[in-house]
């Protein structure tokens, strides 16, 4: 059963094509990662899927409703949480929930029930009179997510929900996302933190409005990055990077912390090639070279480089 | 339209208003404060005109004339001068606004039945006041001379006879008090500024804080959002109107002669027009600062200058008269004066109500068109 079915979705602004003929499916109750650089067309796509922006071409069926034909029906069945904190800081926690509940047509007993649920997941039980602005960031984020699903939608869209949140709160937030998904809610999430994307069941990458890769994190790493990837630990990282970039057995380089990741081709045979090359310069010493399992970040950078070369 | 959703928005907006005590205090008390300031400061009634007399003759008649002038509250006699050269000095130093020069041959001309001329030198810097002074001195001279002529005729056994006389009667504002004339304009000006500013700020605040995104993806309709958001502000403005009327009564004796119910109904229509200005402003601007400056400049000056509040529209050049239609205060002031001062029914000003509704519809249509165009390009 699919929660979203996107078919040839396209959005043009004048001559500029923001979203270029993309198609994909999102299964019921899965956590679906939607990745892409800034300006790749992520926000435009989400706006279309939420029924607030009309597609130029193509369509998407969200929870059984067409975004092109019935955008208002779509809106009733979705939840949305933006990267900007979207609750009212000058209202109390309970007042915010009353408002969002009221907006989605909840009242009386149902509203009370759902308010209790949101307060529970945000760890704010008994604190509904606190002013929302006084809450710490992580709690605010959980409260915002709770408010976004107060009407129990089949799917919730999270647009960079964890930007600007500390690592522990981020981890807690993802536990909450897992909880929602296990209760049957589809979670459609965009993020710039690629280690978060590892938690997703399925991922798509878009660049320049085009879909360039899709699959679960494991297949993405094997299917799109079939060449070996090595981590080189050495001194004078920047100089080493310049040398490696130019050598014939290296396809791609990137810096990860104090290390260099290189993708090598068939001309690469053994570690000595690297050590010899780098240690010709007397100020570089190679400490360690190891073959590693690529991270999603490796795949992401690789895909963007490939797309650029085209 | 869904009433529950509208109510949820109105409730939230009301709480926003209640939470921000400082803003609430400004919104509630500034109208009353403005009314006090305007009511006492903007006053076109001229009393206690300072006069200096240069009495060249110093006769019985001239003294009688001077007494007649200074008996009223209109003129205050500051002093006498005895030489032409002082006239300039007295006017230059603003010791007097008017110098009265009585000719040396006043009595002689009077007894020989010739026309005598009394000269008035008026400080003309403030044209408005100068006109009023001129009006007063003319009237004073006229009444003195008719009194004199009837005395003379009586002495020769005849009764005075004036072929035409007049008795002016000022309706609706019998004492010609300018506060009574100004208060309707003040109500209009205060309401248009507070309503347009508060509505535009409350809408732009949602944009600025990003909460509008959350509202956009919910199934709230634009009409529900607008009604829900403006309702508390409109109620607040109605409260303001009531307070102005009460304070106007307590401080300036302005009594509403007509129907209070009709007054509130018309105020509501006017507030819808003011709200439409606020909505249009909120569509154009992206920050509260911008919205505030646009809203105040669109409402404050036009409602002061172009609405007929202070300056009569009839005496403006035709092009400016056309321009006066940019402020709905123009229509509302006519309605207010009709209800508060004249006690006339809706038959006398229904056309003004129609203009108000047309104004609101035009602005709302413009707001919707601009909004849709902006959305398409986002």
């Amino acid at each position: 059963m699919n929660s979203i079915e996107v078919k040839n979705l396209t959005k043009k602004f004048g001559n500029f094509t923001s979203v270029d003929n993309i198609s994909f499916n999102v299964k019921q109750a899965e956590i679906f990662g939607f990745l892409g650089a800034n300006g790749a067309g992520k926000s435009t796509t989400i706006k279309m899927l939420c029924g607030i922006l009309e597609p130029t071409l193509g369509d998407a069926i969200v929870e059984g409703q067409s975004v092109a034909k019935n955008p208002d029906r779509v809106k009733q069945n979705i939840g949305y949480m933006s990267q900007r904190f979207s609750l009212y800081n000058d209202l109390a926690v309970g007042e915010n929930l009353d408002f969002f509940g009221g907006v989605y047509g909840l009242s009386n007993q149902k509203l009370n029930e759902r308010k209790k649920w949101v307060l529970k997941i945000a760890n704010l039980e008994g604190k509904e009179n606190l002013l929302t602005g006084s809450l710490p960031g992580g709690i605010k984020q959980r409260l915002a997510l709770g408010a976004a699903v107060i009407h129990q939608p089949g799917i919730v869209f999270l647009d960079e929900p964890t930007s600007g949140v500390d690592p522990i709160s981020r981890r807690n937030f993802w536990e909450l996302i897992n909880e929602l998904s296990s209760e049957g809610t589809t979670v459609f999430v965009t993020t710039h933190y690629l280690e978060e994307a590892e938690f997703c069941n399925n991922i798509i990458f878009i660049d320049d409005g085009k879909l360039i890769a899709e699959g679960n994190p494991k297949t993405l790493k094997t299917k799109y990055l079939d060449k070996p990837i090595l981590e080189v630990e050495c001194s004078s990282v920047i100089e080493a990077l310049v040398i490696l970039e130019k050598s014939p057995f290296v396809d791609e380089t990137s810096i990860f912390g104090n290390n260099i990741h290189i993708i090598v081709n068939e001309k690469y045979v053994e570690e000595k090639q690297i050590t010899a090359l780098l240690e010709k310069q007397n100020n570089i010493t190679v400490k360690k070279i190891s073959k590693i399992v690529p991270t999603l970040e490796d795949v992401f950078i690789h895909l963007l480089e490939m797309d650029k070369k085209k | 339209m869904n009433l529950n959703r509208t109510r949820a928005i109105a409730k939230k907006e009301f709480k926003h208003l209640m939470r921000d005590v400082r803003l609430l205090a400004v919104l509630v008390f500034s109208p009353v404060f403005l009314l006090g300031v305007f009511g006492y400061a903007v006053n076109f009634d001229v009393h206690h005109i300072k006069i200096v007399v240069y009495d060249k003759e110093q006769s019985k008649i001239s003294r009688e004339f001077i007494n007649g002038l200074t008996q009223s509250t209109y003129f205050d006699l500051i002093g006498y001068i005895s030489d032409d050269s002082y006239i300039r000095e007295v006017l230059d130093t603003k010791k007097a606004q008017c110098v009265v020069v009585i000719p040396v041959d006043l009595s002689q001309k009077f007894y020989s039945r010739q026309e005598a001329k009394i000269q008035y030198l008026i400080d003309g810097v403030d044209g408005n006041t100068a006109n009023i002074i001129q009006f007063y001195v003319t009237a004073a001279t006229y009444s003195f001379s008719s009194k004199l002529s009837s005395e003379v005729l009586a002495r020769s056994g005849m009764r005075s006879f004036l072929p035409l006389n007049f008795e002016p009667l000022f309706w609706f504002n019998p004492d010609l008090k300018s506060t009574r004339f100004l208060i309707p304009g003040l109500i209009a000006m205060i309401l248009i500024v507070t309503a347009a500013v508060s509505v535009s700020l409350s809408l732009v605040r949602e944009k600025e804080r990003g909460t509008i995104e959350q509202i956009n993806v919910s199934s709230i309709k634009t009409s529900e959002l607008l009604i829900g958001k403006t309702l508390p502000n409109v109620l607040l403005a109605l409260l303001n109107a009531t307070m102005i009327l009460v304070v106007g009564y307590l401080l300036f004796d302005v009594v509403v002669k007509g129907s209070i119910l009709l007054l509130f109904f018309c105020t509501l229509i006017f507030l819808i027009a003011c709200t439409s200005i606020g909505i249009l402003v909120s569509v154009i601007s992206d920050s509260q600062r911008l919205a505030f400056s646009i809203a105040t400049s669109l409402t404050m000056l036009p409602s002061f200058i172009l609405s007929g509040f202070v300056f009569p529209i009839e005496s403006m050049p035709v092009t400016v008269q056309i321009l006066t239609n940019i402020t709905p205060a123009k229509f509302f002031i006519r309605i207010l004066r009709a209800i508060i001062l004249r006690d006339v029914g809706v038959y006398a000003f229904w056309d003004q109500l129609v203009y108000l509704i047309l104004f609101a519809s035009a602005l709302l249509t413009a707001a919707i068109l601009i909004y849709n165009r902006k959305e398409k390009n986002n």
Side-chain angles (χ1 to χ4, degrees), chain A residues 75-134:
Chain A
K75 286 181 185 175
Q76 280 161 25
N77 296 322
I78 60 161
Y80 171 81
M81 178 185 158
S82 74
Q83 60 205 71
R84 288 173 77 178
F85 177 70
S86 51
L87 300 179
Y88 298 94
N89 279 325
D90 59 333
L91 296 186
V93 171
E95 289 168 343
N96 263 306
L97 296 180
D98 280 339
F99 171 63
F100 284 104
V103 158
Y104 284 107
L106 303 182
S107 54
N108 307 331
Q109 208 199 322
K110 184 75 190 161
L111 178 62
N112 279 330
E113 224 171 79
R114 291 300 292 166
K115 267 170 77 181
K116 266 189 202 148
W117 178 84
V118 177
L119 291 173
K120 201 184 97 197
I121 62 157
N123 297 329
L124 284 172
E125 281 163 305
K127 295 180 184 163
E128 54 180 299
N129 292 326
L130 280 183
L131 214 54
T132 309
S134 67

Side-chain angles (χ1 to χ4, degrees), chain B residues 144-155:
Chain B
F144 184 72
S145 91
S146 69
K147 191 181 131 212
L148 272 186
S149 72
S150 63
E151 273 173 20
V152 171
L153 290 168
R155 236 174 282 155

Side-chain angles (χ1 to χ4, degrees), chain A residues 52-211:
Chain A
I52 51 176
L53 193 64
E54 203 186 332
T56 314
L57 286 169
D59 196 2
I61 308 296
V62 176
E63 292 289 305
Q65 302 291 343
S66 151
V67 297
K69 290 177 206 123
N70 274 327
D72 283 329
R73 288 270 187 80
V74 170
K75 286 181 185 175
Q76 280 161 25
N77 296 322
I78 60 161
Y80 171 81
M81 178 185 158
S82 74
Q83 60 205 71
R84 288 173 77 178
F85 177 70
S86 51
L87 300 179
Y88 298 94
N89 279 325
D90 59 333
L91 296 186
V93 171
E95 289 168 343
N96 263 306
L97 296 180
D98 280 339
F99 171 63
F100 284 104
V103 158
Y104 284 107
L106 303 182
S107 54
N108 307 331
Q109 208 199 322
K110 184 75 190 161
L111 178 62
N112 279 330
E113 224 171 79
R114 291 300 292 166
K115 267 170 77 181
K116 266 189 202 148
W117 178 84
V118 177
L119 291 173
K120 201 184 97 197
I121 62 157
N123 297 329
L124 284 172
E125 281 163 305
K127 295 180 184 163
E128 54 180 299
N129 292 326
L130 280 183
L131 214 54
T132 309
S134 67
L135 301 174
I139 301 283
K140 270 188 188 174
Q141 225 71 13
R142 292 171 75 93
L143 183 64
L145 178 57
V149 296
I150 196 164
H151 56 305
Q152 292 175 292
I155 179 164
V156 60
F157 292 89
L158 309 176
D159 193 359
E160 288 173 33
T162 53
S163 58
V165 176
D166 67 83
I168 294 181
S169 304
R170 238 197 290 162
R171 185 161 289 271
N172 290 336
F173 191 80
W174 272 89
E175 275 168 21
L176 189 57
I177 290 179
N178 274 320
E179 223 174 285
L180 279 179
S181 146
S182 65
E183 282 167 20
T185 310
T186 313
V187 180
F188 187 100
V189 59
T190 73
T191 179
H192 282 308
Y193 299 106
L194 287 154
E195 73 274 18
E196 285 185 356
E198 306 263 1
F199 302 135
C200 296
N201 302 113
N202 273 302
I203 293 171
I204 60 170
F205 272 133
I206 65 166
D207 190 40
D208 276 341
K210 290 189 216 42
L211 199 153

Side-chain angles (χ1 to χ4, degrees), chain A:
Chain A
M1 185 45 200
N2 285 330
S3 183
I4 305 180
E5 290 174 9
V6 178
K7 282 176 234 140
N8 310 107
L9 197 64
T10 302
K11 181 73 198 179
K12 288 179 186 166
F13 298 106
N15 288 328
F16 172 68
T17 306
S18 174
V19 176
D20 194 356
N21 196 19
I22 60 174
S23 304
F24 58 89
N25 291 330
V26 178
K27 287 195 213 74
Q28 187 75 53
E30 76 172 333
I31 301 174
F32 189 84
F34 187 45
L35 309 185
N38 285 335
K42 278 183 303 182
S43 293
T44 312
T45 309
I46 290 193
K47 276 186 185 164
M48 286 191 282
L49 294 181
C50 290
I52 51 176
L53 193 64
E54 203 186 332
T56 314
L57 286 169
D59 196 2
I61 308 296
V62 176
E63 292 289 305
Q65 302 291 343
S66 151
V67 297
K69 290 177 206 123
N70 274 327
D72 283 329
R73 288 270 187 80
V74 170
K75 286 181 185 175
Q76 280 161 25
N77 296 322
I78 60 161
Y80 171 81
M81 178 185 158
S82 74
Q83 60 205 71
R84 288 173 77 178
F85 177 70
S86 51
L87 300 179
Y88 298 94
N89 279 325
D90 59 333
L91 296 186
V93 171
E95 289 168 343
N96 263 306
L97 296 180
D98 280 339
F99 171 63
F100 284 104
V103 158
Y104 284 107
L106 303 182
S107 54
N108 307 331
Q109 208 199 322
K110 184 75 190 161
L111 178 62
N112 279 330
E113 224 171 79
R114 291 300 292 166
K115 267 170 77 181
K116 266 189 202 148
W117 178 84
V118 177
L119 291 173
K120 201 184 97 197
I121 62 157
N123 297 329
L124 284 172
E125 281 163 305
K127 295 180 184 163
E128 54 180 299
N129 292 326
L130 280 183
L131 214 54
T132 309
S134 67
L135 301 174
I139 301 283
K140 270 188 188 174
Q141 225 71 13
R142 292 171 75 93
L143 183 64
L145 178 57
V149 296
I150 196 164
H151 56 305
Q152 292 175 292
I155 179 164
V156 60
F157 292 89
L158 309 176
D159 193 359
E160 288 173 33
T162 53
S163 58
V165 176
D166 67 83
I168 294 181
S169 304
R170 238 197 290 162
R171 185 161 289 271
N172 290 336
F173 191 80
W174 272 89
E175 275 168 21
L176 189 57
I177 290 179
N178 274 320
E179 223 174 285
L180 279 179
S181 146
S182 65
E183 282 167 20
T185 310
T186 313
V187 180
F188 187 100
V189 59
T190 73
T191 179
H192 282 308
Y193 299 106
L194 287 154
E195 73 274 18
E196 285 185 356
E198 306 263 1
F199 302 135
C200 296
N201 302 113
N202 273 302
I203 293 171
I204 60 170
F205 272 133
I206 65 166
D207 190 40
D208 276 341
K210 290 189 216 42
L211 199 153
I212 55 172
E214 61 181 312
N216 62 42
K218 212 174 163 189
T219 45
L220 278 174
K221 288 177 203 166
T222 48
K223 185 174 159 198
Y224 293 95
L225 200 56
D226 44 5
K227 291 171 193 157
I229 179 159
L230 304 177
E231 187 173 73
V232 181
E233 204 181 327
C234 62
S235 63
S236 311
V237 177
I238 305 292
E239 285 164 47
L241 184 78
V242 175
I243 295 166
L244 288 169
E245 256 173 8
K246 289 178 190 151
S247 60
F249 58 86
V250 176
D251 274 4
E252 280 172 33
T253 55
S254 51
I255 290 187
F256 275 69
N258 286 326
N259 305 326
I260 303 171
H261 284 194
I262 55 174
I263 298 173
V264 290
N265 55 32
E266 56 289 338
K267 288 179 195 142
Y268 175 78
V269 190
E270 53 179 354
E271 284 180 18
K272 268 186 197 156
Q273 282 173 290
I274 299 171
T275 339
L277 187 68
L278 290 181
E279 291 190 341
K280 264 199 282 185
Q281 309 285 326
N282 40 21
N283 58 342
I284 302 179
T285 46
V286 177
K287 289 169 201 149
K288 197 176 157 197
I289 295 172
S290 46
K291 191 165 183 212
I292 56 163
V293 181
T295 63
L296 272 177
E297 197 152 342
D298 291 311
V299 182
F300 189 57
I301 291 166
H302 171 67
L303 286 169
L304 289 180
E305 300 250 312
M306 298 292 287
D307 203 47
K308 245 184 250 160
K309 278 177 195 160
K310 272 191 242 161

